[in-house]
């Protein structure tokens, strides 16, 4: 139980395993000084109201000023939110987060005139601006996309009102974050020998990966008992999230909240539905996986607290963080030295906040700051954490290349492609590990992990996407999303996806209350589509050599300079078709075949 040690306070964590935020600002005072500079952009930008149609030069001045403001906000937000996430209890950083959020709303309000004014410019006149001002050509794609949103843009006054309300729209996510990460406390639980084990949001999944079934059961029941105690608050918060999405979709004349969400990333709505339909057509493979898990665990009943336990007893081993870094670096050799130099820089120069501490945000992420990305981990020295490291460094490399290749207006890649780079790294790591083991039990443990990636990413995230779709449909019909309704809908989906060989415990009906991604506006489906694309791209890189790598690096450097479907086509995969999803699911079936064979030997 080495992973279940007491959770340290922030000041007890080794400095070398914390991120270095001085690369952003030397201290809080430096942040405050630049915040005051950023505040001046509210008046600077609002001074262009009514002037965008004057000339190409005026329009270019305004757009360049917007990029300056965006750069300042990026730096300020990264410092405030990274400080806040490392210990969510610190009021000072909560206040800084609030200040930068409010400033972003002010700037959004100050520029609310932009889209209506741009749409009021006659297309021929706008084309003349491009001819008279060469620097404006950089913004042609940006301006064209605005023109294509004409049906969803409101009057200047209405746009300003919506911009002013955007701070309120963030309230459900903010409330959820404070409730989950700062206010909820969890009782200690016990393992099979009666030893006390600390429990937290960050420690929960590691307890579920333990071979100690009593620990898994006790932690599962205690954990969801806490969420059950706030089920009505959690439901009201999620209901508010669904309502604000529907409000904005209605205001902007979209047929649904989903249509509004995918339009913002320029992804066809059919991609979302293709995913759910293709996965639903392959649920037999998931049910087969569950039957195999039940057999290999040797249990009469398979419960939800058995879903993360290793199917191969003794296959899990301790992997120190230093070893995990070396293994990830070696596994990425097919990506070439240009790519690996980015990974090495991140490892050596404190881009990463490694360990869990009291009050730290749970989970893992990469934040694409302009100086360099910052990666938050809650590392546990196991195989799962090594894959998480590979995953988040994929995000980091993607941000690093996009930020340094694209002009500010195009450097932020859309979320549809965000999960491709991360899961491609994971796929390359898995291939590396499988190629280097001859031990049947170790190979079975790795295949077990690969199967769990498919289960957790392709199936589970699609289940989340289907739940989120259902949540939006109910909200659109005026149905209040009560705790009872959400739990009933969630449990029904859980039973469908996991099948008859899984006992869907009553506690699992509350899982919706702990999933932060339900506040990310139809984000989760992109884990599954990204995983499918990553499987295809990793195989292309391994087979295609240098040319495939160059295509892939071009994709990583693309930012949002093209639509996401086109960026992925340039790298060699067509996500407008369900074929990559079906190919990935076929691989899942092949892995099941091998796992069954290995377990019979």
């Amino acid at each position: 139980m080495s992973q279940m040690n007491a959770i340290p306070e922030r000041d007890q964590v080794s400095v070398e395993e914390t991120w270095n935020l001085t690369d952003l600002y030397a201290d809080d005072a430096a942040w405050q000084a630049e915040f005051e500079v950023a505040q001046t952009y509210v008046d600077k930008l609002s001074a262009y109201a009514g002037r965008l149609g004057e000339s190409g030069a005026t329009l270019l001045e305004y757009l360049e000023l917007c990029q300056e403001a965006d750069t300042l906000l990026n730096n300020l937000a990264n410092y405030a939110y990274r400080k806040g996430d490392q210990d969510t209890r610190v009021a000072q950083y909560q206040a800084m987060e609030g200040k930068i959020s409010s400033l972003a709303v002010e700037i959004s309000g100050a520029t609310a005139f932009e889209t209506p004014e741009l749409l009021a410019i006659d297309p021929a006149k706008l084309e003349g601006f491009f001819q008279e001002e060469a620097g404006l050509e950089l913004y042609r794609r940006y301006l064209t996309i605005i023109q294509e949103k004409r049906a969803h843009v409101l009057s200047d006054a209405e746009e300003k009102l919506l911009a002013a309300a955007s701070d309120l729209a963030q309230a459900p996510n903010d409330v959820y974050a404070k409730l989950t990460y700062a206010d909820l406390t969890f009782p200690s639980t016990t393992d099979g020998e009666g030893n006390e084990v600390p429990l937290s949001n960050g420690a929960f999944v590691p307890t579920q990966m333990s071979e100690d079934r009593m620990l898994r059961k006790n932690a599962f029941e205690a954990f969801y008992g806490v969420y059950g105690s706030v089920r009505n608050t959690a439901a009201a918060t999620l209901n508010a999230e669904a309502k604000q999405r529907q409000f904005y979709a209605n205001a902007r004349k979209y047929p649904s909240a989903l249509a509004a969400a995918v339009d913002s990333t320029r992804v066809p709505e059919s991609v979302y539905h293709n995913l759910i339909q293709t996965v639903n057509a392959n649920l037999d493979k998931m049910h087969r996986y569950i039957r195999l898990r039940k057999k290999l665990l040797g249990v009469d009943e398979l419960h939800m607290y058995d879903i993360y336990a290793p199917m191969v007893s003794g296959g899990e081993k301790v992997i120190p963080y230093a070893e995990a870094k070396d293994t990830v670096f070696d596994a990425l050799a097919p990506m070439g030295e240009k790519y690996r130099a980015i990974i090495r820089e991140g490892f050596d120069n404190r881009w990463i906040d490694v360990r869990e501490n009291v009050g730290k945000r749970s989970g893992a992420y990469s934040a694409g700051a302009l100086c360099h990305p910052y990666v938050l981990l809650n590392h546990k020295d196991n195989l799962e954490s090594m894959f998480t490291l590979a995953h988040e460094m994929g995000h980091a490399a993607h941000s690093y290349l996009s930020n340094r290749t694209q002009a500010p207006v195009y450097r932020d890649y859309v979320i549809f492609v965000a999960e491709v780079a991360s899961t491609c790294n994971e796929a390359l790591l898995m291939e590396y590990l499988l190629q280097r083991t001859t031990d049947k039990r170790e190979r079975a443990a790795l295949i077990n992990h690969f199967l769990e990636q498919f289960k957790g990413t392709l199936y589970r995230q699609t289940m989340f996407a289907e739940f989120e779709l259902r949540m939006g449909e109910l909200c659109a019909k005026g149905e209040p999303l009560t705790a009872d309704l959400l739990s009933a809908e969630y449990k029904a989906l859980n039973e469908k996806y996991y099948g008859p060989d899984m006992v869907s415990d009553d506690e699992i009906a509350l899982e919706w209350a702990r999933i932060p991604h339900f506040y990310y506006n139809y984000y989760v489906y992109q884990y599954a589509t990204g995983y499918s694309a990553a499987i295809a791209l990793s195989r292309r890189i391994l087979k295609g050599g240098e040319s495939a790598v160059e295509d892939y690096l071009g994709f990583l450097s693309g930012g949002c300079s093209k639509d996401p479907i086109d960026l992925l086509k340039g790298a060699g995969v067509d996500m407008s078709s369900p074929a990559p999803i079906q190919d990935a699911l076929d691989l899942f079936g092949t892995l099941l075949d091998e796992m069954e064979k290995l377990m019979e030997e």
Side-chain angles (χ1 to χ4, degrees):
M1 301 308 300
S2 62
Q3 300 304 316
M4 305 303 167
N5 295 329
I7 301 165
E9 291 288 343
R10 180 71 183 176
D11 59 8
Q12 296 174 318
V13 179
S14 168
V15 171
E16 290 73 23
E17 292 193 339
T18 63
W19 48 29
N20 181 14
L21 297 180
T22 61
D23 289 346
L24 280 164
Y25 295 100
D27 52 31
D28 295 352
W31 183 92
Q32 180 61 36
E34 187 144 288
F35 178 79
E36 291 169 7
V37 172
Q39 287 179 303
T40 66
Y41 279 76
V42 175
D43 291 339
K44 289 179 181 178
L45 289 165
S46 62
Y48 282 84
R51 298 182 55 208
L52 299 188
E54 281 181 358
S55 66
T58 299
L59 180 55
L60 180 59
E61 286 175 8
Y62 168 77
L63 292 172
E64 290 178 340
L65 195 65
C66 285
Q67 298 313 301
E68 291 176 17
D70 180 70
T71 297
L72 284 171
L73 288 175
N74 184 298
N75 291 334
L76 290 163
N78 264 291
Y79 185 84
Y81 282 95
R82 302 299 75 77
K83 281 283 192 179
D85 285 351
Q86 69 188 31
D87 190 340
T88 60
R89 302 168 300 170
V90 180
Q92 177 182 352
Y93 297 119
Q94 292 178 16
M96 287 169 65
E97 289 174 11
K99 288 170 69 174
I100 193 62
S101 177
S102 295
L103 178 58
V105 170
E106 284 188 69
I107 288 178
S108 179
T111 58
F113 64 85
E114 177 188 309
T115 300
E117 283 195 32
L118 289 173
L119 290 176
I121 301 173
D122 182 86
K125 183 178 182 181
L126 183 60
E127 185 59 37
F129 285 176
F130 286 116
Q131 302 307 315
E132 69 184 54
E133 187 60 62
L136 202 58
E137 188 63 34
L138 172 65
Y139 297 91
R140 181 180 286 275
R141 172 175 165 80
Y142 173 79
L143 295 169
T144 299
I145 289 173
I146 290 175
Q147 295 293 320
E148 291 174 356
K149 291 185 178 291
R150 185 177 296 274
H152 306 294
V153 175
L154 309 179
S155 69
D156 190 355
E158 289 169 323
E159 287 291 336
K160 194 163 188 175
L161 187 62
L162 286 182
S166 62
D167 207 13
L168 294 176
Q170 288 298 312
N173 186 27
D174 293 342
V175 171
Y176 168 82
K178 294 300 183 289
L179 173 68
T180 302
Y181 304 127
D183 291 346
L184 286 188
T185 57
F186 298 85
S188 295
T189 189
T190 54
D191 62 20
E193 297 178 353
N195 299 310
E196 190 172 287
V197 178
L199 190 59
S200 67
N201 269 305
F204 173 64
V205 171
T207 68
Q208 300 302 284
M209 296 169 67
S210 170
E211 294 187 10
D212 184 334
R213 197 178 193 212
M214 183 57 69
L215 171 62
R216 298 199 305 268
K217 181 177 186 293
N218 290 344
F220 182 84
E221 292 174 351
F223 186 78
Y224 283 111
V226 172
Y227 275 99
S229 71
V230 295
R231 63 197 299 271
N232 293 311
T233 301
T237 306
L238 194 53
N239 186 51
E241 171 67 19
K243 282 187 172 182
Q244 69 90 6
R245 293 183 195 178
Q246 190 62 44
F247 167 79
Y248 278 95
N250 290 341
R252 295 201 175 281
K253 303 173 186 176
Y254 284 99
S256 67
L258 172 62
V262 297
D263 187 55
S264 68
T265 57
R266 299 179 67 80
V267 173
E269 194 174 347
S270 60
V271 173
Y272 196 103
H273 296 293
N274 279 344
L275 171 68
I276 292 175
Q277 291 165 7
T278 306
V279 170
N280 271 257
N282 287 269
L283 287 177
D284 60 313
K285 295 181 178 68
M286 181 61 167
H287 298 168
R288 182 180 157 202
Y289 165 82
I290 293 299
R291 286 195 296 273
L292 177 62
R293 170 169 282 279
K294 181 179 179 181
K295 176 183 176 181
L296 294 181
L297 289 181
V299 294
D300 294 331
E301 290 185 339
L302 189 72
H303 287 262
M304 289 308 303
Y305 50 78
D306 298 319
I307 199 63
Y308 292 109
M311 293 194 293
V312 182
S313 180
E316 183 72 7
K317 62 180 182 178
V318 174
I319 303 173
Y321 179 62
E323 179 183 338
K325 288 193 296 182
D326 290 343
T327 302
V328 168
F329 185 77
D330 291 343
L332 296 175
M335 289 294 299
E337 292 312 305
K338 177 182 177 181
Y339 183 89
R340 290 210 300 174
I342 300 168
I343 303 300
R344 176 55 66 196
E345 184 176 345
F347 286 166
D348 293 346
N349 291 288
R350 292 180 57 203
W351 291 9
I352 307 171
D353 205 80
V354 181
R355 303 289 176 184
E356 182 181 10
N357 57 254
V358 177
K360 183 177 176 180
R361 179 178 174 136
S362 66
Y365 64 68
S366 173
L370 300 180
C371 60
H372 59 71
Y374 284 97
V375 171
L376 179 139
L377 302 175
N378 283 275
H379 195 83
K380 300 296 180 185
D381 287 351
N382 57 26
L383 186 68
E384 181 72 24
S385 287
M386 182 166 71
F387 274 93
T388 298
L389 175 63
H391 181 103
E392 299 304 339
M393 292 307 292
H395 283 309
H398 194 177
S399 295
Y400 185 92
L401 286 167
S402 287
N403 286 341
R404 280 159 177 73
T405 305
Q406 297 298 323
V409 67
Y410 302 126
R411 65 190 171 202
D412 293 333
Y413 50 82
V414 299
I415 58 176
F416 183 79
V417 300
E419 296 304 326
V420 175
S422 54
T423 46
C424 186
N425 272 14
E426 288 194 71
L428 291 171
L429 175 59
M430 178 57 73
E431 292 290 342
Y432 175 85
L433 295 173
L434 284 173
Q435 289 171 10
R436 281 157 179 77
T437 180
T438 56
D439 181 83
K440 289 181 179 179
R441 181 163 293 277
E442 185 177 353
R443 185 172 182 84
L446 289 169
I447 292 175
N448 170 51
H449 186 85
F450 210 173
L451 290 170
E452 291 198 1
Q453 285 182 316
F454 276 92
K455 176 262 293 178
T457 306
L458 195 44
Y459 282 101
R460 179 173 162 82
Q461 298 299 330
T462 303
M463 184 181 80
F464 286 171
E466 194 167 349
F467 176 74
E468 198 168 1
L469 180 64
R470 181 63 175 152
M471 186 175 74
E473 291 171 344
L474 290 168
C475 182
K477 293 176 182 177
E479 289 275 356
L481 302 183
T482 64
D484 286 347
L485 178 59
L486 290 168
S487 296
E489 292 286 343
Y490 193 88
K491 190 171 185 184
L493 280 174
N494 202 79
E495 290 168 348
K496 180 174 81 168
Y497 273 74
Y498 289 96
D501 289 284
M502 170 66 78
V503 177
S504 286
D505 304 276
D506 290 342
E507 290 88 349
I508 203 63
L510 285 165
E511 189 175 42
W512 57 266
R514 78 171 186 91
I515 306 299
H517 295 78
F518 290 150
Y519 294 86
Y520 295 0
N521 198 15
Y522 296 97
Y523 185 103
V524 291
Y525 85 100
Q526 292 156 122
Y527 284 111
T529 54
Y531 189 81
S532 302
I535 292 295
L537 289 169
S538 65
R539 276 151 178 72
R540 189 169 186 265
I541 289 165
L542 290 169
K543 294 176 182 177
E546 187 174 338
S547 62
V549 169
E550 285 303 311
D551 289 343
Y552 183 66
L553 291 178
F555 157 73
L556 295 182
S557 302
C560 61
S561 60
K562 295 180 181 178
D563 287 353
I565 297 295
D566 293 331
L567 283 170
L568 284 168
K569 283 181 180 178
V573 61
D574 182 5
M575 291 307 297
S576 65
S577 161
I581 301 165
Q582 186 61 56
D583 289 346
L585 290 165
D586 289 343
L587 174 59
F588 181 64
T590 300
L591 290 167
L592 279 171
D593 292 340
E594 183 174 357
M595 188 66 166
E596 289 169 344
K597 185 177 179 181
L598 282 169
M599 292 297 95
E600 289 172 358
E601 294 176 356

